[in-house]
Amino acid sequence: MKVSNTKPGYYPSMTRLKGFRLFILLLLPLISFAQNKISGVITDANGKKLDRVEIFNKSTNAKTFTDKNGEFEINEKKSASFDFVFYKEGYAIVEQNSITTGSKITVVLNKINELTEVIIRKQNEKLFALHKLKDIEGTAIYAGKKTEVVAVDKLTANKAANNARQIFAQVVGLTINESSDGGLQLSIGGRGLDPNRTSNFNTRQNGYDISADVLGYPESYYATPTEALEEIQVIRGAASLQYGTQFGGLVNFKTKTPSQKPIELMTRTTLGSYGLFTNFTSLSGTKDKFSYYTFYNYKQGNGFRPNSDFESKNYFANLNYKFNDKTAIHFDYTYFNYLAQQAGGLTDAMFNENPTQSNRSRNWFAVDWNLFALKLEHKFNNDADFSLQLFGLDASRKAVGYRSNRVSSPDPEGTVRDLIVGDFVNWGAEARYLKRYSIRENRSAFLIGAKYYQSRNTGIQGPGSAGSDANFKLADAEFPYYANQSNYTFPNLNLSVFGENIFKITSNFSITPGFRFEKIRTQAEGSFRKINLDLAGNVILDDEQFENNIKDRDFVLLGVGLSYKPQNQIEFYGNISQNYRSVTFNDIRTVSPSQVIDSNISDEKGFTSDIGIRGQLGNKVTFDASIYGLYYNDKIGEYETRNPNGSAAVVRYRSNIGTAVTYGFETMFDWSLSKTFFQDNDNFIWNAFSNIALTDSQYLKSDAPNIEGNKVEFVPLFNIKTGTGIGYKNFMTSLQFTYVSSQFTEANNSKTDVNDNTYGIFGEIPAYYVADFSASYKWKKWKLEAGVTNFTNNSYFTRRATGYPGPGIIPSDNRTFYTTLELVF
């Protein structure tokens, strides 16, 4: 009899089957993971493996790089096919479509032996088209929004002087206050928004705020030098809810990314008319997980008018460390310091007589700016991104000068000057989380974010020294009874929560609603003195008044964007968004001889909307055409009136004028003539563009006298920029023509009095046109650039100032030449 050693309930075959099933269950995710992986190696034509090759997934907008062995691995959540672009500097771009998950591929990049400037430009255009703001970019959503990107590498322009007319030539509808200070400040507006120091935009550098105080003083005294920029992002419409409440939207200056070499040095020296000298030197590189980009920019010049000398120093450092493929940290530091003498404004009679004259020799302006930013980026997986940015500002602006509202009056030596000093200390934190998900195989995305911001700024106005130098100290002892005296602290606090969601209804149609909750607390603590003198100069009133004015508000802004893409390169878009602009205490308490501000001035509310179509026709034409509307309730504006404080002088009175609307048609058209007619010549490029904005406006309702039915200020009916660029091998040229029709500067639509020899602050900005030419030639590591701006030598102006640097007409530059020599090694 055979005895079995099998225990009761023990069945060897069943046990082995269960173990096998368990093994399969454990293996299935690994098999699935392997099936959803795309891997490969990238080599040159000789089989050498290439590291740091950029691999861009056109289907998901994701980007990765090869390792030091030329290998890459991309993991997707599901089985599908994807379109890829492979790029490395000095090699021809390779595109491969419909690569399925589970594939292992080998890609060969061919080295470009004759890397001419035209070929580099064409390569950059391809990359720019790929990387241009998509529906989702990092932890931001742009679907259905009015977005424009300036690719700085594509520009042949006067970058050393930050010539905004050339740099922003292909951004529709912008109005520009031009100055002769070498581009130290940027002043752009549009759609009825005052261009002065870009105060109606949320201005950022690499995604963090750079203006003086987002709430209390949203003016930008610093603008990143164009020579340091990779691109400028201009985002309007509902997308602005991600960045703030402003009517203008966002302007973001994105600095260049570090070179993939261990070290790369570039230096650019520029000489120009009226003593212009600039030097821009950058150092950049990547070593393993660490990368850096840093620059120093020095400028000096005399300006085309007397009393217009300026000097600036600008240093920037960007340090990056990539812990792994999912986590990276970035640190930015910016230092900017400049001193400028200001030639002052002119009356209409003075401008018509000689626009290059100046009767102000004691007006000075100084800026000292320190910006800090630390950003953490983390990718939880392919579908979830997180970013946290900490930023801070320690800065000041100082102005001293003679600012009589009688502009033609000479500046008497030995008399008191007006001194204004503002110190800005603020910091903030902004966190964003973006999650991608699927609805019926269509990829949607949800964004949630929060921002905390606080500032404690100070503002002092009082007597300045009687000298002629740049002395920014109070002269209290010398002039104890100076009328315009105040000393304030502005502790401001802002907490906001914002969110958006792309609902991908079909593969072609999406709806993106968004919201922004704002808690704003603005405060003014301080005092001002009321001092009245009789005709003999005796004090008849000396009254110091103290105040602690607090404004608290909580509100929610809503917006929605729609996007329909009937085919790959065409998009119909539309959006509508509520907007809000808080009034600033700093404006209320700063006294200007030519302007009076309503003490009861309040916040501005309204909404913006856009409807348009954009896209590409083949690879030859890029276009964007839209209609828009801006509605303002309690719009802040200015009108001419007698001084309500009792003085006999005529002033510009700033108040909530009423309800207004601006509306218009904007179109941008860029045509590649070389791709249309000369496709076989890789070393030839020829583009033409037109940028046309037709804008109208009206005050619908106003309690102020003679305002209702008038046009809104800063709204030219025609704003046209057009031009062409031609390049052959290493020689590039550009020609640009700008025309801006007349625009009013105050709400009562005062006509220009050409014989006015007193004020210069009333009347229109007349229509003007200006033409610019630039060219460059590259030889090995050298590049020579040269050009002439306003080569027709027109006399025109874009601003009637009421404070610094005026009051009065601020003339724009006449004909100006420049030459730049660049060396890269």
Side-chain angles (χ1 to χ4, degrees):
M1 182 178 179
K2 188 174 181 181
V3 179
S4 171
N5 61 358
T6 304
K7 297 178 181 179
Y10 177 71
Y11 303 97
S13 58
M14 290 296 294
T15 302
R16 285 194 297 270
L17 182 60
K18 287 181 180 179
F20 180 72
R21 286 176 176 172
L22 180 61
F23 175 74
I24 292 298
L25 288 173
L26 292 172
L27 190 62
L28 274 174
L30 298 176
I31 295 173
S32 175
F33 184 78
Q35 288 175 339
N36 295 341
K37 180 174 69 175
I38 298 174
S39 61
V41 63
I42 301 179
T43 71
D44 64 9
N46 298 320
K48 179 185 175 183
K49 295 178 179 179
L50 301 175
D51 65 340
R52 300 296 298 174
V53 176
E54 179 181 323
I55 304 163
F56 182 75
N57 188 333
K58 293 199 293 183
S59 307
T60 64
N61 205 27
K63 183 171 66 174
T64 189
F65 293 89
T66 56
D67 61 19
K68 61 183 180 181
N69 298 316
E71 298 175 352
F72 68 93
E73 186 176 287
I74 299 169
N75 298 307
E76 300 294 340
K77 291 194 70 174
K78 61 179 182 178
S79 298
S81 62
F82 301 92
D83 300 334
F84 288 94
V85 177
F86 304 89
Y87 169 74
K88 183 177 176 69
E89 185 177 350
Y91 294 82
I93 292 175
V94 172
E95 297 190 43
Q96 289 196 7
N97 299 324
S98 302
I99 300 176
T100 58
T101 49
S103 300
K104 186 170 185 178
I105 61 175
T106 298
V107 180
V108 177
L109 300 186
N110 292 314
K111 192 171 183 61
I112 302 173
N113 294 320
E114 189 183 2
L115 201 62
T116 65
E117 189 76 349
V118 167
I119 290 176
I120 293 173
R121 181 73 61 92
K122 288 182 176 180
Q123 294 267 85
N124 289 338
E125 284 184 355
K126 286 183 181 180
L127 290 173
F128 175 71
L130 291 170
H131 294 161
K132 191 175 180 180
L133 291 177
K134 306 292 184 181
D135 288 351
I136 301 171
E137 185 86 8
T139 52
I141 292 176
Y142 303 112
K145 312 305 193 304
K146 181 76 171 179
T147 60
E148 293 155 297
V149 181
V150 178
V152 176
D153 284 343
K154 293 174 60 177
L155 300 177
T156 305
N158 188 355
K159 299 177 185 178
N162 293 350
N163 189 312
R165 187 175 60 245
Q166 291 180 294
I167 293 161
F168 290 90
Q170 297 196 29
V171 178
V172 294
L174 291 185
T175 50
I176 300 169
N177 279 354
E178 299 178 9
S179 62
S180 59
D181 58 4
L184 298 179
Q185 293 185 23
L186 175 69
S187 292
I188 58 174
R191 298 180 171 182
L193 302 173
D194 188 348
N196 188 39
R197 296 196 181 101
T198 321
S199 58
N200 284 288
F201 285 90
N202 180 223
T203 312
R204 300 192 177 198
Q205 175 181 270
N206 293 334
Y208 51 86
D209 293 301
I210 62 174
S211 59
D213 180 351
V214 177
L215 299 173
Y217 197 67
E219 301 192 8
S220 297
Y221 289 100
Y222 168 71
T224 316
T226 307
E227 291 167 302
L229 292 175
E230 182 175 285
E231 63 185 35
I232 305 171
Q233 301 170 343
V234 182
I235 301 165
R236 293 183 273 194
S240 61
L241 289 181
Q242 298 177 51
Y243 301 100
T245 64
Q246 294 87 350
F247 283 84
L250 170 76
V251 176
N252 183 37
F253 299 99
K254 187 176 178 182
T255 59
K256 291 180 179 178
T257 53
S259 169
Q260 297 304 311
K261 304 174 185 176
I263 184 169
E264 180 179 270
L265 177 68
M266 181 185 76
T267 182
R268 290 168 53 90
T269 300
T270 300
L271 299 176
S273 303
Y274 312 108
L276 178 68
F277 169 81
T278 78
N279 177 263
F280 177 89
T281 300
S282 67
L283 194 65
S284 175
T286 300
K287 179 64 175 176
D288 299 327
K289 297 181 178 182
F290 175 74
S291 62
Y292 62 95
Y293 176 75
T294 182
F295 69 77
Y296 179 77
N297 187 207
Y298 175 81
K299 292 183 180 182
Q300 70 173 36
N302 304 324
F304 79 102
R305 299 170 63 200
N307 309 314
S308 299
D309 296 356
F310 61 86
E311 182 183 42
S312 76
K313 306 174 186 69
N314 186 189
Y315 172 75
F316 172 81
N318 163 245
L319 308 176
N320 313 279
Y321 187 79
K322 191 173 183 179
F323 295 97
N324 49 51
D325 290 338
K326 292 186 176 182
T327 307
I329 193 168
H330 315 271
F331 173 75
D332 282 9
Y333 170 67
T334 304
Y335 170 74
F336 178 59
N337 177 278
Y338 84 82
L339 176 66
Q341 190 175 14
Q342 298 187 313
L346 305 177
T347 66
D348 287 88
M350 294 170 69
F351 176 81
N352 292 326
E353 176 193 7
N354 178 13
T356 66
Q357 66 179 296
S358 164
N359 65 347
R360 298 287 180 264
S361 60
R362 304 191 303 144
N363 290 12
W364 295 88
F365 192 86
V367 164
D368 191 80
W369 229 245
N370 288 274
L371 280 162
F372 309 87
L374 181 67
K375 185 176 184 179
L376 172 69
E377 292 180 309
H378 180 71
K379 186 181 288 292
F380 292 102
N381 51 53
N382 287 341
D383 293 327
D385 295 279
F386 172 78
S387 66
L388 173 63
Q389 186 141 252
L390 307 176
F391 55 92
L393 172 71
D394 183 2
S396 68
R397 54 86 76 189
K398 302 172 183 177
V400 64
Y402 180 73
R403 297 193 300 153
S404 169
N405 63 348
R406 301 185 68 85
V407 174
S408 59
S409 299
D411 181 1
E413 292 284 342
T415 58
V416 63
R417 293 182 289 177
D418 191 39
L419 173 70
I420 300 175
V421 177
D423 289 309
F424 311 101
V425 179
N426 56 62
W427 70 276
E430 185 173 78
R432 291 166 170 261
Y433 175 77
L434 186 139
K435 172 68 176 176
R436 298 171 179 84
Y437 61 95
S438 297
I439 300 178
R440 295 181 180 179
E441 301 300 317
N442 294 314
R443 298 292 282 166
S444 298
F446 169 70
L447 166 71
I448 189 71
K451 181 180 179 181
Y452 176 85
Y453 179 85
Q454 75 169 47
S455 61
R456 189 173 181 84
N457 306 323
T458 60
I460 297 174
Q461 184 172 12
S465 73
S468 300
D469 60 340
N471 185 341
F472 299 106
K473 294 181 180 179
L474 278 170
D476 300 78
E478 188 178 359
F479 303 101
Y481 297 111
Y482 182 71
N484 301 330
Q485 295 190 49
S486 62
N487 190 337
Y488 275 86
T489 299
F490 305 102
N492 297 328
L493 179 67
N494 177 216
L495 176 63
S496 58
V497 179
F498 53 90
E500 291 196 20
N501 197 109
I502 298 180
F503 291 103
K504 203 82 169 179
I505 308 303
T506 69
S507 59
N508 298 327
F509 178 63
S510 67
I511 300 176
T512 308
F515 76 93
R516 187 177 186 91
F517 166 76
E518 289 277 340
K519 178 178 178 59
I520 298 176
R521 177 187 174 91
T522 55
Q523 186 174 357
E525 298 176 296
S527 64
F528 64 95
R529 291 177 68 184
K530 281 188 173 182
I531 300 175
N532 293 339
L533 306 176
D534 62 17
L535 295 178
N538 300 309
V539 178
I540 57 176
L541 174 69
D542 185 356
D543 180 26
E544 186 172 12
Q545 298 188 10
F546 295 86
E547 67 175 333
N548 186 6
N549 196 341
I550 300 174
K551 287 190 176 184
D552 269 314
R553 49 271 217 213
D554 304 300
F555 55 89
V556 175
L557 301 178
L558 302 176
V560 64
L562 294 89
S563 172
Y564 175 63
K565 300 177 180 178
Q567 50 184 283
N568 190 35
Q569 293 182 315
I570 301 293
E571 178 186 12
F572 293 90
Y573 63 92
N575 62 76
I576 185 168
S577 172
Q578 293 176 293
N579 295 102
Y580 176 92
R581 187 176 189 269
S582 61
V583 68
T584 65
F585 284 122
N586 205 4
D587 278 344
I588 295 174
R589 285 295 165 242
T590 301
V591 177
S592 173
S594 300
Q595 182 185 64
V596 174
I597 299 178
D598 182 359
S599 59
N600 296 315
I601 194 170
S602 61
D603 301 335
E604 192 175 17
K605 309 172 188 69
F607 65 83
T608 63
S609 62
D610 297 274
I611 300 174
I613 178 174
R614 61 188 169 204
Q616 290 180 273
L617 302 177
N619 62 347
K620 301 175 180 63
V621 174
T622 302
F623 67 94
D624 189 342
S626 65
I627 57 174
Y628 79 90
L630 262 73
Y631 177 87
Y632 311 83
N633 194 23
D634 295 325
K635 176 173 172 35
I636 296 173
E638 300 175 359
Y639 60 93
E640 178 183 349
T641 187
R642 290 286 177 185
N643 194 328
N645 295 332
S647 169
V650 179
V651 296
R652 290 246 294 257
Y653 188 66
R654 185 173 177 83
S655 180
N656 297 102
I657 293 181
T659 303
V661 62
T662 65
Y663 53 92
F665 170 73
E666 299 174 337
T667 178
M668 175 65 210
F669 181 88
D670 193 300
W671 180 21
S672 175
L673 297 165
S674 56
K675 291 179 181 177
T676 304
F677 302 111
F678 307 96
Q679 297 184 40
D680 296 332
N681 194 333
D682 291 337
N683 273 304
F684 180 70
I685 190 170
W686 183 15
N687 282 67
F689 78 92
S690 67
N691 171 355
I692 300 173
L694 306 177
T695 312
D696 205 353
S697 62
Q698 188 177 20
Y699 277 101
L700 303 177
K701 183 173 62 176
S702 177
D703 293 331
N706 305 316
I707 300 297
E708 193 169 307
N710 285 358
K711 302 294 184 184
V712 176
E713 55 269 49
F714 310 114
V715 180
L717 178 61
F718 298 103
N719 189 341
I720 301 171
K721 298 178 183 67
T722 184
T724 185
I726 300 176
Y728 180 69
K729 291 190 175 180
N730 288 309
F731 182 64
M732 308 292 298
T733 64
S734 72
L735 175 66
Q736 179 181 313
F737 176 82
T738 300
Y739 172 78
V740 180
S741 61
S742 63
Q743 54 188 295
F744 295 108
T745 57
E746 1 81 21
N748 51 357
N749 294 179
S750 299
K751 299 294 184 182
T752 298
D753 178 4
V754 295
N755 298 313
D756 170 30
N757 199 27
T758 303
Y759 298 110
I761 64 172
F762 305 114
E764 300 170 277
I765 296 174
Y768 66 89
Y769 72 88
V770 59
D772 307 301
F773 175 78
S774 295
S776 70
Y777 180 77
K778 185 178 181 182
W779 180 72
K780 296 183 178 179
K781 297 180 181 294
W782 299 86
K783 182 189 284 189
L784 179 67
E785 300 177 6
V788 53
T789 56
N790 188 15
F791 63 74
T792 57
N793 204 29
N794 285 4
S795 295
Y796 68 100
F797 63 91
T798 61
R799 183 184 179 195
R800 292 182 182 269
T802 55
Y804 287 102
I809 292 170
I810 309 299
S812 297
D813 285 4
N814 53 17
R815 183 186 294 122
T816 303
F817 299 89
Y818 74 93
T819 301
T820 302
L821 184 63
E822 174 184 301
L823 172 63
V824 180
F825 56 90

